[in-house]
Amino acid sequence: MIITGGPGVGKTTLVNSLLKILIAKAVTIALCAPTGRAAKRLSDSTGLEAKTIHRLLETDPRTGTFRRNEEEPLDCDLLVVDETSMVDVPLMRALMRALPEQAALLLVGDVDQLPSVGPGQVLGDIIASASVPVVRLTEVFRQAAESRIIVNAHRINHGLMPDLARAESGDFYFVERVPYFRCDDRVGLKQGSGVGGYRDQRCRRGVGLDILHQARDLEQEAISDQRLCSGLHLGDVVCIGACAISVPFLQ
């Protein structure tokens, strides 16, 4: 079975209720998640031990394989996998190989989250296959509805623009990007939108290709412009978009 839904819809509450019922019936349960942080949250919310998938499958550091497989399966009647959207195909395959034939599997996660870093989008593909029961939770409960991040996440999922209005308090803020400057081969600066350059500060972060191409275009446009500010030197940094780049790049 799969339980899916966005943030604040009660996935954790539903899983906790199911686990309490099954524990009362003496069902052996194993909990896991793809990352240590997700496993810690799962453990905190359920009060049960939760492991990362790699730890649950007992990774062999010498070979990079797992000790748990079809020959030595997991000891459980129910396996609960949280944050399943982060699980890629190879890891899910290893998990299925270690699942006992008589055991049940419960996958929990938000199908609208970004897919796993590794190959495949396991949760989305399983849901699309319509081969297993799926419970999709949609109602945002009162406590979660107080978070603008959660509210805007659901607005985006429904094809609506997020609420960008300023609020004195909250957890969601919209920050406009920094306007750009125009530079030329004389290491001059013409103010584009009222933001000053930063002197004696080297660029320490990567610059995307779109920003670099924009810088080249602006350089060519400004070469013939003689109305340039003075006082800049090689190594000074100017702002283009949200990035800062060093003036010598434009030479």
Side-chain angles (χ1 to χ4, degrees):
M1 175 179 284
I2 294 176
I3 297 176
T4 187
V9 295
K11 296 189 299 294
T12 300
T13 301
L14 178 56
V15 170
N16 285 343
S17 299
L18 292 174
L19 293 181
K20 289 179 180 178
I21 294 172
L22 295 174
I23 290 173
K25 295 180 176 294
V27 174
T28 304
I29 300 171
L31 306 179
C32 66
T35 67
R37 179 173 294 183
K40 179 66 165 56
R41 287 199 304 267
L42 181 59
S43 180
D44 291 342
S45 64
T46 62
L48 304 173
E49 181 184 16
K51 301 178 180 179
T52 63
I53 296 177
H54 290 79
R55 184 183 172 198
L56 181 70
L57 297 179
E58 300 179 15
T59 306
D60 186 343
R62 295 173 299 177
T63 63
T65 59
F66 299 110
R67 294 191 178 96
R68 294 287 187 170
N69 50 41
E70 60 271 20
E71 297 178 356
E72 190 177 351
L74 299 169
D75 182 18
C76 65
D77 301 316
L78 170 67
L79 175 62
V80 179
V81 184
D82 197 15
E83 298 290 356
T84 310
S85 61
M86 301 169 61
V87 181
D88 59 24
V89 171
L91 191 56
M92 182 58 75
R93 176 178 180 271
L95 197 58
M96 293 302 96
R97 290 180 61 193
L99 186 67
E101 292 185 2
Q102 77 283 359
L105 176 65
L106 177 60
L107 304 178
V108 185
D110 183 358
V111 70
D112 293 318
Q113 284 186 346
L114 290 174
S116 60
V117 176
Q121 40 188 356
V122 173
L123 184 61
D125 288 344
I126 295 177
I127 293 175
S129 71
S131 58
V132 298
V134 178
V135 176
R136 188 184 294 269
L137 306 176
T138 58
E139 181 180 353
V140 181
F141 291 92
R142 183 180 60 83
Q143 184 174 357
E146 297 175 358
S147 167
R148 296 185 68 204
I149 291 178
I150 292 178
V151 171
N152 283 326
H154 285 276
R155 287 179 62 86
I156 292 172
N157 284 340
H158 286 84
L160 302 175
M161 280 292 294
D163 180 10
L164 305 181
R166 290 182 175 272
E168 295 183 359
S169 61
D171 54 7
F172 181 91
Y173 301 92
F174 176 71
V175 181
E176 296 186 17
R177 71 173 190 171
V178 181
Y180 62 78
F181 288 88
R182 300 179 178 179
C183 307
D184 79 343
D185 58 345
R186 290 171 47 192
V187 199
L189 179 74
K190 184 175 77 175
Q191 189 169 347
S193 302
V195 180
Y198 298 93
R199 298 194 47 166
D200 302 323
Q201 178 182 351
R202 296 282 182 169
C203 179
R204 297 182 179 274
R205 57 176 294 182
V207 180
L209 288 178
D210 55 338
I211 295 296
L212 300 184
H213 292 162
Q214 183 185 21
R216 285 293 188 185
D217 294 341
L218 294 175
E219 175 191 16
Q220 295 301 319
E221 181 182 346
I223 284 177
S224 60
D225 194 333
Q226 301 300 317
R227 296 172 298 170
L228 301 169
C229 300
S230 60
L232 292 180
H233 303 82
L234 292 176
D236 287 354
V237 173
V238 295
C239 290
I240 298 180
C243 294
I245 67 172
S246 181
V247 168
F249 172 80
L250 299 176
Q251 297 302 305

